[in-house]
């Protein structure tokens, strides 16, 4: 109040007002251009205090301040600084300057019954001394408590230590402006001490505190400004006032040299005792603060705080490595009240604090998630379930105590008092402080309440019955292979038979005969490799190479087919009865959903008719509806959240399965009022619990015993073998057969090249080609196979049969004489080719086109 009055006088008289002790932030709001604050604003230290709170992980702090303008001025800035580091201010303790000791003790006892154990004290020394004395008497300066003094108390207590006072504040933390130690400061202290002791020899304490140093620098700044502005014209211009004015203040004039001195002060800059001295907008710049810990007879410096680097152990930038400014490693070891170095939690379980009223849903089924049981004998209510255990674990993980009690959301008869929407709305109406249970995070509820982070897997899916239809299918033998593999296998059987016929028919009697016999033999030979029952001989090495590779392919293919078919016939192949939601809507099938669930709105949005929707309250009731079947008072599918579906499948995993798609939801979350400060703390605690072993223990306690069935796969995959698994084998066999054909054709064309280069110039190209194919069809008498056979026939040697007769053995062979050369055939265009040659020719062309 004194500062406000003097500042107002200076504004009217245009005289600069310099204060080295007026630290209240409220003085800034006066906005007087003639006020120069030659000290630190109290608001400059609030960031240093909040950094300490954040560094030690304290989440709540209670300011204790004097009930005047000095005390109230810092509180808004301190509250904002604490909120920036996620620290709450649950209570503000205001103590009157004229409070008696009993009133102080009464307020301290009130603080003692609360859970917060971190206190920030901002008051005068006289009141602060009484406060700490009484706090020690009632046991509030013991282990578990944290006290932080603002710079006013720290300077007053520690600049001129009083042993009786320091004994009461052992372990207290304090904030002090940092004054660098320089030669000029040491020389000044020595001169001051000599002069002080000479003038007052009876005074022992001759030390100057920070305010004395600031006063010296302010006087120096004023002297420099006067020298700069000049010493002339120090008069006042008299004001025009009426003669009946009652005070001398009304006659106060306007300084003629005041504006000049103000400009000079604003531009004055020098190296003072407290550091660099310069006014910016009438305010000294914020220096570094030192953090002190009261131990023994004085304060021990444990670190510094600067606006640029936050908490640091030293101001030396070389030693000061860059790291998180909130880490406790950036300050030295602190000895807290109770003579302990263990960091206090900052909270204790309160003795009489109001408990949170937690609403819990009441339901008939799915007791694994949440269950409310009332004992009529003792008239007590028990709350159990997965959601209850999770919330209990989350509250224990909070950095402070949170008293609460569960209240069932039920009528007097024990029946549910409404739906989940009704329960969440009770929080908006402030009938409950929170809601704990299997409540899903959905958008429409978030408009009037706040959710925490989810603690379960999110999503809504469909559950349907499963059945084994393979054993009743007459065409099950077709299922081991996909259609593309069936077609590819058939084409390769034909192609391999064709390749063997091309190579073998000129030199092997087993592949000769009429056109139909040759075609039949080729197909018979190729398809008989499926069961390795081929009896025709192959004499060409090219054919043998092709057959060896093809037999390997057939072996792999048949073994795979046999294994797959055996699996289909012997292992139960359970398939869902329904896989598509649109199919349910199209057929008008009945579907189920859990009573009171938001899933009803989801089904209506998907297009289901409300008349086809049926409700269930438990896993047993859902199973009963499935047993009846759609159209018989039952359902064909059920829609529910994943947590409930897993419970149903854990009991009936052999009967049902979960089908995609999943409809995304937020999962289960706890409900709190809109803007509740508990939501971020609870959410962080949820992450702490879900990422650790505690969540696994809770899940195992409620779901582990019933999870004896294998997990149901949400997607149904085919067991049929596809071409993708065998295309490499077919590629090898195809390339081998094609290479053998190319080699054979090249060798044959080269051997019979004279036929294409006939000397008869009158023969057409078509006639030459026709003659060429006639040679291709006929028997090769020069083959070593036929020569050995003819030789043995002439000697009367009968060879034992190597195998059963082939179809060609019973055919009528039309052979040309063996001693006729290819050149002896008439290539005339008028000569008709035998019917067999023409038929074989067209068969060959058909094979080429198909290839």
């Amino acid at each position: 109040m004194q500062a406000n009055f003097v500042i107002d006088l200076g504004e009217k008289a245009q005289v600069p007002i310099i204060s080295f002790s007026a630290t209240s932030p409220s003085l800034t709001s006066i906005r007087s251009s003639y006020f120069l604050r030659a000290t630190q604003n109290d608001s400059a230290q609030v960031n240093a205090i909040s950094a300490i709170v954040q560094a030690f992980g304290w989440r709540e702090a209670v300011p204790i301040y004097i009930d005047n303008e000095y005390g109230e001025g810092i509180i808004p800035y301190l509250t904002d600084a604490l909120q920036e580091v996620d620290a709450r201010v649950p209570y503000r303790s205001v103590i009157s300057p004229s409070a008696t000791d009993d009133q102080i003790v009464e307020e301290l006892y009130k603080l003692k019954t609360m859970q917060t154990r971190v206190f920030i004290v901002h008051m005068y020394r006289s009141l602060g001394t009484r406060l700490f004395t009484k706090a020690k008497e009632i046991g509030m300066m013991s282990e578990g408590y944290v006290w932080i003094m603002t710079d006013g108390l720290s300077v007053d207590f520690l600049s001129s230590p009083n042993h009786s006072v320091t004994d009461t504040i052992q372990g207290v933390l304090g904030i002090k402006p940092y004054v660098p130690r320089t030669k000029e400061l040491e020389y000044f202290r020595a001169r001051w001490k000599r002069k002080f002791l000479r003038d007052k020899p009876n005074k022992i304490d001759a030390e100057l505190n920070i305010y004395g140093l600031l006063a010296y620098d302010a006087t120096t700044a004023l002297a420099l400004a006067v020298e700069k502005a000049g010493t002339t014209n120090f008069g006042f211009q008299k004001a025009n006032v009426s003669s009946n004015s009652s005070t001398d203040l009304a006659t106060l004039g306007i300084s003629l040299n005041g504006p000049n001195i103000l400009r000079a002060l604003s531009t004055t800059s020098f190296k003072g005792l407290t550091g660099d001295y310069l006014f910016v907008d009438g305010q000294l710049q914020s220096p570094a603060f030192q953090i002190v810990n009261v131990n023994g007879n004085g304060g021990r410096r444990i670190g510094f705080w600067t606006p640029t680097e936050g908490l640091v152990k030293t101001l030396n930038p070389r030693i000061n490595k860059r790291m998180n400014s909130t880490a406790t490693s950036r300050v030295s070891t602190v000895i807290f009240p109770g003579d302990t170095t263990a960091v206090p939690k900052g909270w204790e379980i309160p003795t009489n604090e109001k408990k949170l009223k937690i609403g819990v849903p009441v339901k008939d089924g799915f007791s694994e998630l949440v269950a409310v049981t009332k004992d009529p004998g003792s008239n007590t209510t028990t709350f159990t379930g997965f959601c209850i255990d999770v919330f209990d674990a989350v509250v224990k993980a909070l950095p402070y105590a949170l008293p609460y009690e569960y209240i069932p959301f039920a009528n007097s008869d024990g029946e549910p008092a409404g739906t989940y929407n009704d329960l969440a709305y009770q929080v908006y109406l402030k009938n409950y402080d929170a809601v704990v249970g299997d409540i899903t995070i959905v958008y429409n509820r978030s408009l009037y309440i706040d959710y925490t982070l989810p603690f379960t897997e999110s999503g809504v899916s469909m559950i349907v019955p499963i059945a084994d239809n393979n054993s009743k299918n007459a065409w099950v033998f077709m299922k081991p292979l996909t259609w593309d593999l069936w077609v590819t296998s058939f084409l390769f059987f034909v192609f391999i038979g064709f390749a063997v016929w091309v190579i073998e028919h000129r030199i092997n009697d087993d592949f000769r005969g009429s056109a139909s016999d040759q075609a039949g033999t080729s197909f018979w030979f190729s398809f008989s490799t499926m069961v390795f029952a081929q009896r025709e001989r192959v004499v060409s090495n090219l054919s043998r190479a092709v057959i060896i590779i093809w037999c390997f392919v057939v072996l792999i293919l048949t073994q795979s087919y046999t294994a797959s078919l055996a699996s289909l016939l012997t292992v139960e192949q359970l398939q869902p009865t329904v896989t598509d939601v649109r199919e349910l809507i199209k057929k008008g099938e009945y579907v189920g959903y859990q009573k009171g669930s938001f899933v009803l709105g989801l089904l209506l949005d998907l297009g289901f008719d409300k008349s086809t929707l049926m409700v269930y309250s438990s896993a047993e009731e859902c199973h009963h509806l499935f047993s009846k079947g759609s159209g018989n008072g039952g359902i064909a599918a059920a829609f529910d959240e994943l947590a409930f579906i897993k419970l149903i499948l854990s009991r009936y995993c052999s009967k049902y399965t979960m089908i995609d798609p999943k409809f995304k939801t937020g999962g289960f979350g706890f409900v709190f009022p809109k803007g509740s400060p508990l939501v971020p703390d609870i959410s962080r605690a949820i992450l702490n619990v879900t990422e650790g072993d505690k969540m696994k223990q809770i899940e195992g306690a409620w779901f582990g015993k019933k999870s004896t069935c294998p997990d149901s796969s949400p997607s149904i995959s085919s067991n049929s073998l596809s071409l993708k698994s065998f295309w490499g084998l077919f590629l090898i066999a195809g390339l081998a057969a094609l290479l053998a054909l190319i080699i054979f054709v090249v060798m044959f064309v080269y051997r019979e090249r004279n036929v294409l280069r006939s000397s008869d110039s009158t023969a057409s190209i078509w006639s030459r080609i026709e003659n060429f194919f006639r040679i291709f069809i006929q028997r090769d008498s020069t083959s070593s196979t036929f020569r050995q056979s003819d030789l043995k026939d002439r000697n009367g040697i009968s060879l034992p049969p190597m195998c059963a007769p082939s179809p060609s053995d019973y055919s009528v062979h039309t052979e040309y004489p063996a001693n006729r050369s290819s050149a002896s055939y008439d290539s005339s265009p008028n000569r008709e080719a035998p019917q067999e040659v023409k038929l074989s020719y067209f068969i060959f062309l058909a094979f080429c086109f198909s290839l």
Side-chain angles (χ1 to χ4, degrees), residues 160-217:
S160 300
N162 186 321
H163 295 301
S164 61
V165 175
T166 54
D167 287 343
T168 62
I169 60 174
Q170 291 294 305
V172 175
L173 296 174
I175 308 293
K176 289 177 59 178
Y178 172 65
V179 178
R181 179 172 294 182
T182 60
K183 292 181 179 180
E184 291 78 6
L185 177 60
E186 295 299 327
Y187 179 62
F188 170 78
R189 288 185 184 277
R191 288 190 296 120
W192 165 260
K193 193 170 185 178
R194 286 195 302 269
K195 180 175 176 56
F196 186 85
L197 293 177
R198 184 171 61 250
D199 295 341
K200 298 180 179 180
N202 297 327
K203 292 288 185 180
I204 300 176
D205 189 2
E207 293 293 332
L208 277 180
N209 61 20
I210 182 67
Y211 296 110
L213 301 179
L214 289 172
Y216 186 87
D217 284 344

Side-chain angles (χ1 to χ4, degrees), residues 580-720:
D580 193 356
V581 176
R582 290 170 295 184
E583 181 181 349
L584 293 171
I585 300 175
K586 183 178 179 180
K587 293 182 178 180
E589 299 283 1
Y590 286 85
V591 298
Y593 67 95
Q594 189 179 168
K595 183 179 179 180
S597 173
F598 74 99
V599 176
L600 171 60
L602 175 63
L603 295 177
L604 295 177
D605 293 340
L606 289 175
F608 283 96
D609 191 281
K610 194 170 184 178
S611 61
T612 63
L613 303 180
M614 305 183 70
V615 298
Y616 57 86
S617 301
S618 63
E620 292 79 8
E621 190 173 342
C622 179
H623 171 62
H624 181 66
L625 291 175
F626 271 124
S627 301
K628 291 182 177 181
S630 180
N632 299 320
I635 57 177
F639 289 83
D640 215 329
E641 294 179 81
L642 295 181
F644 298 105
I645 288 179
K646 289 181 178 180
L647 286 175
I648 297 174
L649 294 180
S650 66
R651 299 184 183 182
Y652 307 104
C653 62
S654 62
K655 297 180 181 295
Y656 310 108
T657 187
M658 186 168 57
I659 302 296
D660 280 337
K662 293 179 183 177
F663 303 95
K664 288 295 183 182
T665 60
F668 291 165
F670 303 127
V671 176
F672 284 88
K674 200 76 173 176
S676 172
L678 291 174
V679 172
D681 292 345
I682 295 290
S683 296
R684 276 187 287 267
I686 288 174
L687 293 177
N688 186 17
V689 172
T690 55
E691 292 176 358
D693 295 333
K694 186 62 178 178
M695 180 61 80
K696 295 180 181 178
Q697 296 174 5
I698 297 174
E699 290 177 348
W702 290 104
F703 308 130
K705 295 180 181 180
K706 297 183 179 180
S707 300
T708 56
C709 296
D711 293 337
S712 297
S713 174
S715 60
I716 304 300
S717 59
S718 174
N719 292 324
S720 300

Side-chain angles (χ1 to χ4, degrees), residues 198 254 333 527 588 679 712 789 816 838:
R198 184 171 61 250
I254 298 175
T333 303
F527 281 96
V679 172
S712 297
S789 178
Y816 295 96
K838 292 183 178 181

Side-chain angles (χ1 to χ4, degrees), residues 18-283:
I18 305 177
S19 174
F20 55 84
S21 60
T23 60
S24 176
S26 62
L27 299 177
T28 307
S29 62
I30 298 176
R31 300 188 183 280
S32 172
S33 58
Y34 284 88
F35 173 53
L36 299 172
R37 195 197 302 265
T39 185
Q40 297 303 317
N41 191 330
D42 279 340
S43 63
Q45 61 181 318
V46 296
N47 290 326
I49 297 174
S50 65
I52 296 174
V53 173
Q54 185 184 27
F56 290 99
W58 299 318
R59 303 305 303 277
E60 290 184 350
V62 173
I64 305 175
Y65 57 95
I66 189 171
D67 188 13
N68 61 13
E69 191 171 358
Y70 168 75
E72 294 173 352
I74 193 177
I75 297 304
Y77 301 93
L78 179 61
T79 303
D80 291 343
L82 291 174
Q83 289 179 349
E84 288 180 0
V85 296
D86 294 330
R88 297 174 57 239
V89 179
Y91 178 74
R92 298 179 183 181
S93 178
V94 185
I95 298 180
S96 171
S98 58
T100 64
D101 289 348
D102 292 339
Q103 291 174 330
I104 294 176
V105 170
E106 181 182 358
E107 182 66 20
L108 290 174
Y109 271 121
K110 185 177 181 180
L111 295 175
K112 193 174 183 179
T113 59
M114 299 179 183
Q115 71 174 1
T116 306
R117 291 295 181 264
V118 180
F119 306 107
I120 302 172
V121 184
H122 179 67
M123 56 184 59
Y124 297 146
R125 173 172 178 166
S126 57
L127 185 60
T129 302
R130 296 165 56 202
L131 175 74
F132 282 113
T133 300
K134 296 302 177 182
K136 185 176 182 179
E137 290 178 0
I138 64 175
M140 293 183 68
M141 297 301 295
S142 58
E143 185 175 353
Y145 287 87
V146 178
W147 296 86
I148 303 175
M149 301 183 298
T150 59
D151 65 346
L153 275 179
S154 300
V155 170
D156 288 339
F157 280 153
L158 302 178
S159 297
S160 300
N162 186 321
H163 295 301
S164 61
V165 175
T166 54
D167 287 343
T168 62
I169 60 174
Q170 291 294 305
V172 175
L173 296 174
I175 308 293
K176 289 177 59 178
Y178 172 65
V179 178
R181 179 172 294 182
T182 60
K183 292 181 179 180
E184 291 78 6
L185 177 60
E186 295 299 327
Y187 179 62
F188 170 78
R189 288 185 184 277
R191 288 190 296 120
W192 165 260
K193 193 170 185 178
R194 286 195 302 269
K195 180 175 176 56
F196 186 85
L197 293 177
R198 184 171 61 250
D199 295 341
K200 298 180 179 180
N202 297 327
K203 292 288 185 180
I204 300 176
D205 189 2
E207 293 293 332
L208 277 180
N209 61 20
I210 182 67
Y211 296 110
L213 301 179
L214 289 172
Y216 186 87
D217 284 344
T219 307
T220 303
L222 179 59
L224 294 175
V226 170
E227 290 180 355
K228 190 182 298 183
T231 57
T232 60
N233 209 6
F234 273 170
F236 282 79
Q237 180 181 350
K238 293 184 178 181
N240 296 325
V241 294
S242 60
S243 58
N244 58 355
S245 177
S246 60
T247 63
D248 293 335
L249 294 178
T251 62
L252 187 64
I254 298 175
S255 173
L256 299 177
N257 204 27
N260 296 330
I261 296 177
L262 177 64
R263 285 191 294 270
L265 279 170
S266 300
T267 57
T268 297
S269 175
F270 63 96
K271 189 76 172 179
L273 298 177
T274 58
D276 294 332
Y277 204 91
L278 173 66
F279 289 104
V280 177
D281 295 330
Q283 172 70 58

